[in-house]
Amino acid sequence: TLQLPSTAFAHLRRQAAALDAFRPRLDACCHHHTPLPCARRAWTDVLDRFCTDEFGVKTRQYHCCRQQGAA
């Protein structure tokens, strides 16, 4: 569990939430018949959600959220 003060650090909370969301999906992919595509899809879904959350706030977004396509 991430220990942060109750004010500020919202960007770190969003990052931690994304990693927390990724972990169970990645674990599920280990039992999937095609684990690598499953893991890529899970990461892409979690990253898309993270970037949507990042653009929903009035702070500077994480640099990867400005990338396009395979980048």
Side-chain angles (χ1 to χ4, degrees):
T1 304
L2 191 61
Q3 300 287 332
L4 293 172
S6 58
T7 58
F9 300 99
H11 65 290
L12 293 178
R13 290 184 209 287
R14 287 189 298 277
Q15 290 174 20
L19 292 175
D20 285 344
F22 180 56
R23 187 173 296 120
R25 294 200 51 192
L26 184 61
D27 288 345
C29 288
C30 291
H31 305 290
H32 199 269
H33 67 282
T34 55
L36 187 56
C38 177
R40 282 185 182 145
R41 189 170 41 257
W43 177 245
T44 301
D45 291 349
V46 168
L47 191 58
D48 285 347
R49 173 61 191 245
F50 169 76
C51 289
T52 297
D53 290 347
E54 281 285 279
F55 284 111
V57 294
K58 293 181 179 180
T59 59
R60 195 162 99 189
Q61 289 77 31
Y62 199 72
H63 64 88
C64 68
C65 292
R66 297 198 180 275
Q67 301 294 318
Q68 299 272 331

